[in-house]
Amino acid sequence: MVGHGALRYVVGVDLSLTSTGIAVYDIKPRQWRFDNPKTVGHRQDTWAQQTRRVYKLAERICATIPLHTLVVVEGPSYNSVSTSVWERAALYYQLTIWLQELEIPIAVAAPKTLKLWATGTGMAGKKSVQNVAEQFVGRKLANNDVADATILALMGMHRLGLISPPGTWRGKTIDRIEWPDGGLTVWR
């Protein structure tokens, strides 16, 4: 049984309007589960269509996250100039507000932080990050979005002491993440 406030899952979420990566690690049986919800939008979409898309995607992501979870999400890319930057920001805030309402602890990692933790450089390419994620989980992953989510979950596992990965840079990188206030207790 999971004690009040004890964590049973670590979830990584790589938010995207078109292909969100989700990696869920169940601590007790030591099993991974992955999801990759996709949506399609168009430049000519109305405000109402855009908000419905964001709301439905946030709802779908939230449905994959169990209670008793630490969620590690990739934070906003503040230098992004894409046409969908507002919708992605809306998705980020919609999801994190709902998670806060559910009292699910959230850690936020800057975009380059997951690359740095995975490879030792914040400038690593998508394929390099995916290769590292696949080595950790011991299987092929669907795409780089799922791989990024897996790295985010692995960073949470590292913070919780569930893994002790090699590489001195990884310990330093963990300190760059905005972790939730208060202590995190792992279900054992």
Side-chain angles (χ1 to χ4, degrees):
M1 181 163 170
V2 178
H4 179 70
L7 301 173
R8 176 169 172 174
Y9 305 92
V10 181
V11 176
V13 180
D14 179 43
L15 288 173
S16 167
L17 292 167
T18 57
S19 179
T20 290
I22 302 169
V24 179
Y25 182 74
D26 189 337
I27 294 168
K28 188 58 177 173
R30 298 181 182 176
Q31 292 180 336
W32 286 95
R33 180 172 42 89
F34 304 97
D35 199 357
N36 189 215
K38 299 175 188 299
T39 66
V40 177
H42 307 283
R43 279 186 186 259
Q44 68 274 16
D45 284 351
T46 66
W47 172 86
Q49 290 169 319
Q50 291 169 351
T51 55
R52 269 195 306 275
R53 177 183 179 204
V54 165
Y55 186 90
K56 287 180 183 282
L57 182 55
E59 192 174 52
R60 176 148 181 230
I61 295 165
C62 204
T64 67
I65 300 172
L67 296 175
H68 306 288
T69 295
L70 168 64
V71 174
V72 184
V73 64
E74 183 180 42
S77 175
Y78 293 110
N79 293 325
S80 182
V81 292
S82 106
T83 56
S84 61
V85 71
W86 283 85
E87 290 93 334
R88 188 179 182 284
L91 176 61
Y92 170 81
Y93 286 107
Q94 182 69 63
L95 178 67
T96 57
I97 288 167
W98 280 346
L99 294 175
Q100 287 177 7
E101 288 176 351
L102 293 169
E103 298 182 1
I104 293 175
I106 307 162
V108 180
K112 287 187 178 183
T113 305
L114 78 91
K115 293 177 183 180
L116 180 61
W117 187 91
T119 67
T121 176
M123 303 304 289
K126 292 179 182 297
K127 191 63 183 163
S128 296
V129 173
Q130 185 166 345
N131 288 339
V132 170
E134 290 173 347
Q135 287 173 1
F136 268 99
V137 299
R139 72 169 96 162
K140 183 94 173 110
L141 297 172
N143 55 43
N144 59 47
D145 302 309
V146 173
D148 284 357
T150 302
I151 295 296
L152 291 163
L154 287 164
M155 291 189 307
M157 293 166 65
H158 184 185
R159 170 66 178 216
L160 294 171
L162 297 170
I163 59 171
S164 297
T168 57
W169 74 88
R170 288 192 170 113
K172 294 174 186 173
T173 304
I174 289 298
D175 294 336
R176 295 181 177 192
I177 296 170
E178 185 179 341
W179 296 101
D181 293 335
L184 298 171
T185 307
V186 175
W187 180 58
R188 304 256 182 208

